Amino acid sequence: MCSATSAFGKCPSRTLILATMPFFTVFLSRIILKEKQTWKVYLSLVPIVLGVGVATLTELSFNMIGLLSALASTMAFSLQNIYSKKVLHDTRIHHLRLLLILGRLALILFSPIWLLYDLRRLIYDPVTGGSADLSYYILGLLFLDGVLNWLQNIIAFSVLSIVTPLTYAVASASKRIFVIAVTLLVLGNPVTWLNILGMTMAICGVLCYNKAKYDQRLEKENQATLPNYYDKNRNGNSGSSFMMNGWIEKKKQLFAV
């Protein structure tokens, strides 16, 4: 899905769609994991997504296949994060062990697709009418891309093992700001006020999200204290029936003391 998105849509368009991952994650987490967030957390997601969207407005290109592929890819990423967190929580498996298992499954599932699609293009390129010209430079870039993707997955699962899927989605959306900045520098595109405004909005949204999650954690810690209850023999005031030293009447209470 990610390959289809990159093939049919430019990087900023894909970045814009992937920035909506917090919305997908919070919706799917509510259904699958039954997680509830405070209204502050929900509101803090808005400037993050809007900020990334505004930052990519100057670089957008529309393609229906690319749009649908990006939406499907974002949905798949959200489901992967949610179910990976659920497996980590339920089975107590090490996150790198889980990554190894998922990598083996991915190799088995996608090897036939690679053999039928990519390998055939390498052997015979329909554009040039011959085999693809693979220089050492291209092979080096492919190897570097694989190493970086491997490191990215290790870091991603390490982060996912200690945070919630929603927090990971927010961190992933924040990463898009860095992607946009690198894209502007590498492609040499001029930086406009929309890019700066969008990046600022996204950064402020991340700060608001951190504050909202901190308040939510404090609220849960306060609710985790001993429960309040009322018992006429244990709690009360001067006008209620209150037992002290085995007596309820106030006169006998004073006498007992």
Side-chain angles (χ1 to χ4, degrees), residues 8-74:
F8 293 104
K10 292 183 179 179
C11 180
S13 300
R14 177 174 177 265
T15 299
L16 175 60
I17 302 300
L18 290 178
T20 61
M21 187 183 295
F23 287 156
F24 283 91
T25 304
V26 74
F27 176 73
L28 294 174
S29 297
R30 183 68 181 90
I31 298 176
I32 299 173
L33 302 179
K34 309 300 182 182
E35 288 185 353
K36 292 183 180 180
Q37 308 292 339
T38 62
W39 63 270
K40 292 181 180 180
V41 174
Y42 291 127
L43 290 179
S44 65
L45 301 178
V46 176
I48 298 175
V49 177
L50 289 181
V52 178
V54 171
T56 58
L57 285 179
T58 57
E59 300 293 327
L60 283 181
S61 62
F62 179 79
N63 183 282
M64 181 56 68
I65 299 179
L67 176 64
L68 295 178
S69 299
L71 290 174
S73 176
T74 304

Side-chain angles (χ1 to χ4, degrees), residues 84-95 97-98 161:
S84 296
K85 185 65 177 182
K86 184 174 177 59
V87 171
L88 290 174
H89 180 269
D90 293 345
T91 64
R92 302 297 180 181
I93 188 174
H94 195 273
H95 57 278
R97 176 66 178 174
L98 177 61
S161 64

Side-chain angles (χ1 to χ4, degrees), residues 5-243:
T5 304
S6 301
F8 293 104
K10 292 183 179 179
C11 180
S13 300
R14 177 174 177 265
T15 299
L16 175 60
I17 302 300
L18 290 178
T20 61
M21 187 183 295
F23 287 156
F24 283 91
T25 304
V26 74
F27 176 73
L28 294 174
S29 297
R30 183 68 181 90
I31 298 176
I32 299 173
L33 302 179
K34 309 300 182 182
E35 288 185 353
K36 292 183 180 180
Q37 308 292 339
T38 62
W39 63 270
K40 292 181 180 180
V41 174
Y42 291 127
L43 290 179
S44 65
L45 301 178
V46 176
I48 298 175
V49 177
L50 289 181
V52 178
V54 171
T56 58
L57 285 179
T58 57
E59 300 293 327
L60 283 181
S61 62
F62 179 79
N63 183 282
M64 181 56 68
I65 299 179
L67 176 64
L68 295 178
S69 299
L71 290 174
S73 176
T74 304
M75 176 73 75
F77 271 127
S78 299
L79 289 174
Q80 176 194 356
N81 297 335
I82 292 173
Y83 280 109
S84 296
K85 185 65 177 182
K86 184 174 177 59
V87 171
L88 290 174
H89 180 269
D90 293 345
T91 64
R92 302 297 180 181
I93 188 174
H94 195 273
H95 57 278
L96 296 183
R97 176 66 178 174
L98 177 61
L99 178 60
L100 176 62
I101 296 174
L102 294 178
R104 291 175 178 175
L105 293 176
L107 177 62
I108 297 174
L109 292 175
F110 287 98
S111 290
I113 300 177
W114 182 83
L115 292 174
L116 294 175
Y117 185 79
D118 291 334
L119 183 61
R120 186 177 62 179
R121 290 290 185 91
L122 293 176
I123 297 175
Y124 176 77
D125 191 351
V127 178
T128 60
S131 61
D133 185 15
L134 293 179
S135 62
Y136 288 107
Y137 177 73
I138 296 178
L139 293 176
L141 289 178
L142 291 174
F143 178 77
L144 178 62
D145 181 51
V147 172
L148 293 177
N149 188 58
W150 173 67
L151 291 175
Q152 188 269 334
N153 285 324
I154 291 179
I155 296 174
F157 271 76
S158 298
V159 173
L160 185 62
S161 64
I162 58 178
V163 299
T164 63
L166 180 57
T167 301
Y168 176 79
V170 171
S172 180
S174 305
K175 181 183 66 177
R176 308 299 165 190
I177 295 296
F178 180 76
V179 173
I180 295 171
V182 172
T183 302
L184 294 174
L185 293 176
V186 172
L187 299 180
N189 297 333
V191 180
T192 64
W193 64 271
L194 279 177
N195 301 131
I196 298 176
L197 176 62
M199 294 178 184
T200 305
M201 288 177 58
I203 294 174
C204 292
V206 173
L207 295 178
C208 292
Y209 174 81
N210 291 333
K211 180 63 168 60
K213 292 294 290 185
Y214 177 75
D215 294 340
Q216 185 184 39
R217 184 169 64 252
L218 288 181
E219 183 178 351
K220 288 184 178 180
E221 290 177 356
N222 293 333
Q223 292 176 353
T225 57
L226 294 177
N228 295 326
Y229 61 90
Y230 177 80
D231 187 344
K232 68 178 183 179
N233 292 328
R234 301 191 178 195
N235 298 309
N237 49 43
S238 59
S240 63
S241 298
F242 181 70
M243 180 174 288

